[in-house]
Amino acid sequence: KEQDDRSVLCKKGDPNYQMLTKKVFVDLPNHEAAEKRAEHGLAKKRRAKIFCLVYTIEKNHHTIPAIKETWGKKCDGFMVASTKTDRELGTVNIPHEGKEEYNNIWQKVRSMWSYVYDNYYEKYDWFHIGGDDLYLIVENLRLYLESEEIQLASNGGHYLPNGSEETQTPLFLGRRFAEGGNMDRIFISGGSGYTMNKATLKTLVVDGFPTCFPHKHTFSEDVMVANCLRKRNILPYDTKDEAGGERYMPFAPGHHLNYLPPPNPKDDWYSNYSINCKWGIDHCAAKSVAFHYIKGDLMRRMYAILYHYC
């Protein structure tokens, strides 16, 4: 049976396998080197601590074991916000205004971020949120957050932080979309999630939530978060790599390999919302950090391919 499971996990040739073997990879050499430097006190600063937050509902609790077996355990902190607390699974019931329904995710996310701010703000450097079909490549995300580019941006672009700073520039990272193709209304796609530093989390919860659509009921929490932050001059950061590849993906790897926009990009919402994208194998950054629409079997399969179990 183990051999049968392995043959299913490691089946070759399909678009997901191609994208994860021809382009996307986990940067394990640099990750392991950074771990060793930190372990032996050779690093200038400790490694970035990442808190990962997943939202779900009780009927979808069956999706959580695959997350915990694969990428969830690689986060420094991990929590699942749900409608029922289950200590074994790591789910926490977080009440919110209004019904528990798709059309009210904004209220759910407001409560989740408030809970995280109250309980975890001091313990972590970065906070990433996504649904129960998110796949996060944590090693790549951590290396990206520790990169000179992001460190410089978090310090206002003036010079690299040395640890003595008392202020931080808010950073809001993820896959940028232009709402309806409008470049004045850029938001971050909620599918692959978004990553915030402490300054952004604090601004959102303390300054934003009390007055920013406090009682609105809508599914478009990603648009709402971007609106609240935009009012405070925090805009989505362009997270493409140096080759123009996207790091945060709103679909599965194979979808991005095969997708091509129609002759008129405005005819498809995805190409209409996308900003200066490359398509096909060049769409995904080699060191991608997140994918969306990844269910349990594909989650375990991606893990097996990315970490060389195949």
Side-chain angles (χ1 to χ4, degrees):
K1 186 177 185 306
E2 188 175 319
Q3 190 62 38
D4 291 342
D5 290 345
R6 188 180 180 86
S7 65
V8 171
L9 282 176
C10 298
K11 187 182 75 170
K12 299 182 179 182
D14 69 287
N16 285 315
Y17 184 89
Q18 289 178 51
M19 184 61 94
L20 297 176
T21 53
K22 293 181 178 178
K23 183 65 183 289
V24 175
F25 70 96
V26 184
D27 190 0
L28 289 173
N30 279 316
H31 165 71
E32 287 161 4
E35 288 286 295
K36 284 181 181 175
R37 284 196 300 272
E39 183 184 340
H40 296 294
L42 301 174
K44 291 181 180 177
K45 56 192 298 189
R46 63 169 174 75
R47 300 216 66 190
K49 294 186 72 174
I50 303 170
F51 186 87
C52 302
L53 179 62
V54 167
Y55 52 85
T56 190
I57 54 177
E58 184 182 355
K59 75 172 187 178
N60 289 341
H61 278 192
H62 64 276
T63 64
I64 305 305
I67 296 175
K68 295 184 74 174
E69 289 166 25
T70 56
W71 65 265
K73 62 188 178 183
K74 296 174 180 290
C75 302
D76 300 287
F78 177 80
M79 191 189 93
V80 181
S82 183
T83 50
K84 182 182 180 182
T85 297
D86 184 327
R87 289 180 180 276
E88 204 169 301
L89 268 184
T91 65
V92 180
N93 175 28
I94 299 184
H96 57 77
E97 178 185 305
K99 291 181 180 178
E100 180 65 41
E101 61 182 6
Y102 177 69
N103 201 40
N104 197 30
I105 293 178
W106 167 235
Q107 290 298 329
K108 186 182 182 90
V109 166
R110 285 171 57 91
S111 292
M112 287 164 58
W113 278 131
S114 299
Y115 180 91
V116 168
Y117 178 75
D118 288 343
N119 292 280
Y120 300 110
Y121 172 81
E122 297 292 348
K123 300 174 186 173
Y124 299 93
D125 306 306
W126 295 89
F127 304 86
H128 186 92
I129 188 174
D132 54 22
D133 55 357
L134 162 71
Y135 191 100
L136 206 58
I137 305 179
V138 180
E139 292 89 348
N140 288 356
L141 175 59
R142 186 178 282 109
L143 288 168
Y144 178 51
L145 300 177
E146 293 171 344
S147 69
E148 285 198 0
E149 177 194 347
I150 296 302
Q151 289 297 301
L152 193 63
S154 73
N155 202 32
H158 304 303
Y159 54 85
L160 287 170
N162 58 25
S164 66
E165 293 74 22
E166 294 184 2
T167 60
Q168 182 183 57
T169 301
L171 289 181
F172 181 35
L173 312 176
R175 172 62 188 275
R176 300 185 311 155
F177 275 160
E179 188 180 355
N182 184 350
M183 290 295 287
D184 292 326
R185 292 187 58 80
I186 295 176
F187 68 101
I188 288 181
S189 168
S192 52
Y194 46 92
T195 313
M196 302 190 292
N197 63 0
K198 291 167 86 92
T200 303
L201 176 60
K202 185 173 185 176
T203 301
L204 180 67
V205 175
V206 177
D207 300 332
F209 282 168
T211 57
C212 191
F213 308 106
H215 305 295
K216 188 175 180 69
H217 291 193
T218 176
F219 65 89
S220 55
E221 59 85 18
D222 46 7
V223 173
M224 293 292 103
V225 167
N227 284 343
C228 295
L229 292 174
R230 191 183 303 118
K231 289 179 179 180
R232 283 146 189 86
N233 298 314
I234 300 171
L235 302 176
Y237 186 89
D238 185 355
T239 54
K240 290 185 179 71
D241 72 0
E242 60 278 2
E246 297 284 354
R247 284 185 167 92
Y248 292 74
M249 251 53 66
F251 298 105
H255 180 282
H256 292 292
L257 179 67
N258 287 336
Y259 178 83
L260 290 173
N264 179 3
K266 292 187 181 298
D267 289 343
D268 180 34
W269 78 265
Y270 177 49
S271 52
N272 188 33
Y273 277 48
S274 292
I275 302 171
N276 300 327
C277 280
K278 295 185 175 183
W279 306 109
I281 198 156
D282 293 327
H283 180 77
C284 299
K287 300 175 189 177
S288 291
V289 304
F291 290 92
H292 184 215
Y293 293 123
I294 311 300
K295 302 295 184 183
D297 289 347
L298 179 54
M299 198 168 286
R300 292 184 175 95
R301 185 157 179 257
M302 284 183 63
Y303 184 81
I305 294 168
L306 286 168
Y307 292 94
H308 312 300
Y309 293 110
C310 290

